[in-house]
Amino acid sequence: MEKSSKRWRFVILLVVLGICLAFLRPTINWYFRTAEADQKLALLSLEKIKEYSVQQAAKDVKALEADVAANPGSELGEKYAWLLKPAKNNFKEYKKSVPEPLTLGAAMASFSLGRVAKTDDEKKDVASSIHQKLLEVRQEYYREKVLADKKNYTNSVKLGLDLSGGMNIIVRADLDAAVKNNKQSVDASGGEAAFKARAMEQAIETLKSRIDRFGLTEPVIRQQGEDRVYIEIPGAEQSDAINTIIMGKGILNFRLVDEEATNKFQQFYYSNPEATFDENGKLLDPAIVPEDVEILGYYTKDSYGLDEFLQYMAVKKEIALDGRYVKSADVSRDQMGKTGVDFTLDSEGAEIFADFTGAHVGERLCVISDNKIKSAATIKTKIAGGQVRIDGFGLEEAQNLQKVLQTAWLEVPLSVESQQVIGAELGEQTIRAGLMALAIGLIAIFVFMLLYYKGAGINAIVAQVLNLYMLFAVLSAFNLTLTLPSIAGMILTVGMAVDANVIIFERIKEELRMGKSRGAAIDAGFDGAFWAIMDSNITTFIAAMFLSQLGTGSIQGFAVSLAIGVASSVFTALFVSRLMFDVGTEAFKKKTTSISWRVK
């Protein structure tokens, strides 16, 4: 029974170490397996990542087309290994055997399988289609690589601004003003508390969208307390930009599409793309559209999660319905399983919308946000009662439209409460100093434990290493940020973990002096030390938890790392260290204990 218990303890230890390794994997990938140049790319905004992917894909495809024109019979080679898999998939799709060896010309021609071009115009269309498909394949490669690195960063232990440099901002959301200005929405949301919670979610979502669209580096945005949003932007100072973003306000409204004006404009635009807009996006010749319409872009979300332009449309300047009448918005499926967005209007908005839709059945109505068309649905019948449904979307598109509609009714005034810029040079010095202190402290402890406790000191050393291993794993699992106070908490944890080992070893020595055998002395030593260790660590853990909840900034970082360290040090001291002693007794049949120069 006892051997079975030890076996299960060993299995539990392996499982814990495996889980910790899985948690640490993104951190290891980011800091040790991602090149510095790739890290810089991954920290760019999604807008910049898309721009990079498009440019690199265009450059690679241009080089490929030049090489094919010069020597179509050459093999793919390492340079064009990215073309191998999609080319093979093309041959497989049309049930054709893959040429051996696969040449550049054959790989490129695989993208036109199933199409026969006879005229010059058809040949141009085929060439254009091949070029576009190659661009998509190559862009997908860059996109997935950079976004995978970005995902590793998101799930890794991050360096705080005191270590990496950058800017932090605390934004206050005036929830009381939001409640006062949206009394009907408060009732529809299920009460004031629910409304405030949803309002904060939308405020954070809006800030994320604005910051990333502006092209800033990867931000850390999280709620702090009930009505504040904490933002960290690593890298260069961008205080003016961030203030502009935060204080900006989106505008949402519903307007009719002018189909005739849209068709005429698109014909003109496709014939004169370079002579339609000026550098600011204004029409060079306003007379090409009627005075009562304006040209806006129709956008959907692309594979990067960004707004992707689809086409230009002419919409009426007259606003059919303002976004302030929207009370709530939700995604749902109808009886046929189709995804759509349901939104509710207040009483005034419902009356306006019923009259308007009744007068314009058969026409298309746009949802416009920040001067971008987000949806264009046909009015099938008069919509009365204030319950509106827009369908014809995929799930992701519906969720995006829901967020757009929520922006209108969850109007939360935002203001910058504090703003701080921190240089990166001090961070580099701090990292070196912190790591040096941690290393010196560990080495000093290791040397002391080996000299004073002999063989048992090895158990303490292994426990210390696993303690730090698990500490970093938990930090990585919860995407916590490593700051200078956090490092201080780790160093304190190292000292406290040694205390637990010292208590255990001294109790074992006492039992050995009484003449007990190795196994009996170890059992009695751990049993006698258990509550002494638990009492001291539980009180420390409670204090750390209170600090983490009541403290802010550096105090919170110190408390969190200390709390995690206390839990991991108790586990390694009482579980891991004992398992090592038991393995020595059972597996290696040791009769004596190397724990002191005077006690055997």
Side-chain angles (χ1 to χ4, degrees):
M1 185 71 178
E2 191 175 344
K3 288 184 178 179
S4 176
S5 172
K6 292 181 177 64
R7 192 178 299 115
W8 275 111
R9 280 190 284 155
F10 183 70
V11 171
I12 291 171
L13 177 60
L14 290 179
V15 170
V16 170
L17 295 180
I19 292 172
C20 289
L21 181 60
F23 288 152
L24 273 174
R25 198 171 172 186
T27 298
I28 294 170
N29 288 338
W30 176 253
Y31 288 103
F32 301 103
R33 301 179 64 183
T34 305
E36 187 177 350
D38 293 335
Q39 287 184 352
K40 290 180 179 178
L41 277 173
L43 288 175
L44 295 174
S45 68
L46 291 175
E47 290 278 5
K48 295 295 183 182
I49 290 173
K50 181 177 181 179
E51 184 180 317
Y52 164 81
S53 301
V54 170
Q55 290 176 351
Q56 289 298 118
K59 189 187 299 182
D60 290 353
V61 170
K62 185 177 180 181
L64 170 64
E65 291 172 341
D67 287 346
V68 170
N71 189 5
S74 62
E75 294 186 33
L76 289 183
E78 188 176 346
K79 181 180 178 181
Y80 294 113
W82 57 270
L83 198 56
L84 181 61
K85 185 177 179 180
K88 285 184 175 181
N89 289 339
N90 290 337
F91 285 111
K92 184 178 179 181
E93 182 181 350
Y94 286 93
K95 298 180 180 179
K96 294 183 179 293
S97 59
V98 180
E100 291 290 345
L102 184 60
T103 63
L104 286 176
M108 192 166 176
S110 71
F111 288 89
S112 62
L113 290 173
R115 296 188 62 178
V116 178
K118 296 180 180 179
T119 66
D120 290 341
D121 287 341
E122 288 176 344
K123 290 178 181 179
K124 287 181 180 179
D125 288 342
V126 170
S128 176
S129 175
I130 293 174
H131 178 80
Q132 188 60 39
K133 289 177 180 178
L134 288 170
L135 284 175
E136 291 173 0
V137 168
R138 194 54 175 158
Q139 189 184 154
E140 181 181 6
Y141 165 80
Y142 284 110
R143 180 181 67 246
E144 290 184 352
K145 182 179 183 303
V146 179
L147 291 183
D149 290 338
K150 198 178 192 74
K151 184 178 180 181
N152 282 331
Y153 169 77
T154 301
N155 295 325
S156 68
V157 177
K158 300 174 188 62
L159 298 180
L161 295 186
D162 55 350
L163 300 178
S164 64
M167 181 173 59
N168 68 19
I169 308 105
I170 295 178
V171 178
R172 182 178 179 276
D174 193 343
L175 297 180
D176 291 333
V179 170
K180 184 178 179 181
N181 296 331
N182 298 272
K183 290 184 178 179
Q184 290 183 329
S185 298
V186 171
D187 296 334
S189 300
E192 187 173 313
F195 174 82
K196 287 184 176 181
R198 198 163 183 182
M200 283 301 296
E201 288 178 9
Q202 185 57 35
I204 292 172
E205 184 65 34
T206 301
L207 286 171
K208 284 181 179 178
S209 175
R210 290 177 183 174
I211 289 173
D212 203 76
R213 186 174 65 219
F214 198 86
L216 302 176
T217 52
E218 177 72 11
V220 174
I221 304 175
R222 61 174 181 267
Q223 185 171 342
Q224 188 177 76
E226 183 187 18
D227 60 353
R228 284 167 175 77
V229 181
Y230 178 78
I231 304 172
E232 283 187 2
I233 301 177
E237 302 177 19
Q238 308 197 51
S239 55
D240 293 338
I242 192 68
N243 284 329
T244 301
I245 293 167
I246 292 171
M247 300 310 293
K249 186 168 185 274
I251 298 173
L252 183 138
N253 52 58
F254 299 79
R255 291 193 254 167
L256 280 178
V257 177
D258 188 322
E259 303 290 356
E260 183 180 353
T262 296
N263 293 332
K264 288 183 178 179
F265 173 80
Q266 288 179 348
Q267 291 175 5
F268 177 87
Y269 176 71
Y270 291 133
S271 302
N272 308 275
E274 73 289 342
T276 304
F277 298 102
D278 62 18
E279 58 184 11
N280 296 317
K282 303 290 185 181
L283 287 174
L284 291 172
D285 182 10
I288 61 177
V289 295
E291 290 185 2
D292 64 338
V293 305
E294 64 176 319
I295 302 299
L296 297 177
Y298 186 10
Y299 292 81
T300 186
K301 292 292 182 181
D302 64 7
S303 52
Y304 297 86
L306 297 171
D307 286 336
E308 180 180 35
F309 172 79
L310 293 181
Q311 65 180 39
Y312 287 109
M313 299 175 70
V315 298
K316 296 289 186 181
K317 291 181 179 178
E318 181 185 359
I319 295 174
L321 185 74
D322 193 272
R324 62 189 173 89
Y325 295 111
V326 180
K327 289 169 53 181
S328 62
D330 292 291
V331 176
S332 65
R333 295 181 183 273
D334 61 16
Q335 294 178 344
M336 303 297 293
K338 293 182 179 179
T339 304
V341 179
D342 299 298
F343 62 94
T344 305
L345 302 173
D346 62 19
S347 56
E348 184 181 355
E351 185 177 347
I352 295 171
F353 201 66
D355 293 340
F356 184 85
T357 53
H360 297 278
V361 174
E363 299 183 56
R364 280 198 293 171
L365 186 68
C366 290
V367 178
I368 298 171
S369 174
D370 286 338
N371 286 324
K372 291 181 179 179
I373 300 173
K374 299 292 186 175
S375 168
T378 301
I379 302 172
K380 297 177 181 178
T381 185
K382 178 180 178 179
I383 302 173
Q387 300 294 326
V388 186
R389 179 175 176 83
I390 307 176
D391 52 24
F393 304 105
L395 178 60
E396 188 173 348
E397 289 178 306
Q399 289 172 339
N400 291 328
L401 180 57
Q402 178 203 19
K403 291 175 183 176
V404 170
L405 291 168
Q406 283 180 334
T407 305
W409 68 280
L410 292 177
E411 294 183 359
V412 185
L414 302 175
S415 60
V416 177
E417 191 170 76
S418 70
Q419 186 169 297
Q420 186 178 17
V421 178
I422 301 170
E425 185 177 351
L426 178 61
E428 293 176 3
Q429 296 173 357
T430 305
I431 292 172
R432 287 195 294 269
L435 291 176
M436 182 65 70
L438 191 59
I440 292 173
L442 281 173
I443 292 171
I445 289 171
F446 290 171
V447 171
F448 171 80
M449 296 300 286
L450 285 172
L451 292 177
Y452 195 82
Y453 290 107
K454 299 178 66 178
I458 297 175
N459 290 25
I461 291 172
V462 172
Q464 286 288 353
V465 172
L466 291 181
N467 180 32
L468 290 174
Y469 172 75
M470 287 189 285
L471 175 57
F472 276 102
V474 175
L475 289 172
S476 183
F478 290 99
N479 302 327
L480 299 176
T481 302
L482 188 64
T483 61
L484 182 58
S486 299
I487 295 176
M490 290 180 187
I491 296 173
L492 181 59
T493 297
V494 168
M496 294 177 64
V498 171
D499 285 346
N501 288 115
V502 168
I503 293 172
I504 293 169
F505 294 168
E506 290 299 325
R507 290 293 178 94
I508 293 175
K509 285 164 65 176
E510 290 175 4
E511 300 297 328
L512 289 171
R513 288 192 188 101
M514 295 169 62
K516 292 185 178 181
S517 66
R518 172 189 165 95
I522 290 171
D523 289 342
F526 273 93
D527 291 342
F530 180 83
W531 284 113
I533 293 171
M534 290 300 294
D535 286 347
S536 62
N537 282 281
I538 286 173
T539 53
T540 305
F541 184 81
I542 292 172
M545 291 304 296
F546 270 100
L547 278 176
S548 67
Q549 294 298 314
L550 301 177
T552 57
S554 58
I555 296 175
Q556 194 173 44
F558 170 81
V560 169
S561 64
L562 180 60
I564 296 170
V566 166
S568 62
S569 64
V570 168
F571 177 79
T572 54
L574 295 177
F575 191 92
V576 177
S577 184
R578 178 156 190 175
L579 182 61
M580 292 178 68
F581 274 116
D582 289 344
V583 168
T585 303
E586 299 291 336
F588 296 101
K589 307 299 181 183
K590 290 184 178 181
K591 301 297 183 183
T592 60
T593 306
S594 176
I595 198 169
S596 173
W597 293 98
R598 291 174 293 180
V599 180
K600 299 297 183 183

